[in-house]
Structure formats: C-alpha cells, structure tokens
Amino acid sequence: MKTRLHRLGLGSLAVLALLSYAQSARAADKPYIAVGNAKARKVVLAIAPVRADPNTSAEATTVRDTMAADLTFMDVFRFLSPTSFIEQPSA
C-alpha cells in the first residue's frame, strides 16, 4: 500500500512538473517587445536647405520642415548644422 501511495505521489509530482513546463513553454511563444529600454546611439543626419522653384518654394520648405520635425520627434536622429556641411548647399 505504501508503494502504491508513493507511486501516486511521484506520478502527481511528475504531472505537475509537466504541466508547469508546458505552461512556461506556451508563455515563451508569446511575442514580447521591450519598450523604452534601448541604449542605441542616435543616427546623424544632414538635411540641406531646400532649393526649389520660386513657385513651389513655400511648399518644399513646409515638406522639409515637417520631415525634420517628425524625425526630431522620433528622438532617434541627431542633425548636423548646415554650417558643418562639406559642400555648401548654395553651390
């Protein structure tokens, strides 16, 4: 009788261990994305001033400024000052 109870106890323990392993394996299948923990360096970008038709200059400047504002908001980029460009945009 004691061995039967002993086997029943070991069998229950084995089933519990198997169930806990299956549940942890299922939890590992779920995708997880850690947000806010990135330690990446910012990418350096240079955005030159717009040179466009006089008729479309205002729209082109608006597009450039909107793009720069969106990239700044992302906080992934660092922008070079136009004074640091090797080739001057007016050339």
Side-chain angles (χ1 to χ4, degrees):
M1 183 84 167
K2 184 178 179 183
T3 57
R4 185 174 179 195
L5 288 176
H6 184 65
R7 268 190 261 146
L8 184 61
L10 287 179
S12 299
L13 185 61
V15 168
L16 286 174
L18 184 62
L19 287 175
S20 67
Y21 174 75
Q23 188 170 4
S24 66
R26 193 174 345 126
D29 291 342
K30 293 182 182 180
Y32 175 76
I33 300 173
V35 178
N37 296 333
K39 300 289 184 197
R41 291 180 13 181
K42 291 185 179 183
V43 176
V44 179
L45 284 180
I47 300 178
V50 176
R51 292 189 307 183
D53 244 17
N55 297 333
T56 60
S57 180
E59 290 86 1
T61 301
T62 301
V63 169
R64 181 207 176 274
D65 293 344
T66 302
M67 179 185 68
D70 289 348
L71 294 175
T72 301
F73 177 77
M74 291 173 59
D75 199 31
V76 179
F77 302 98
R78 184 173 61 88
F79 298 101
L80 287 178
S81 169
T83 59
S84 67
F85 296 168
I86 295 172
E87 183 178 321
Q88 293 304 315
S90 60

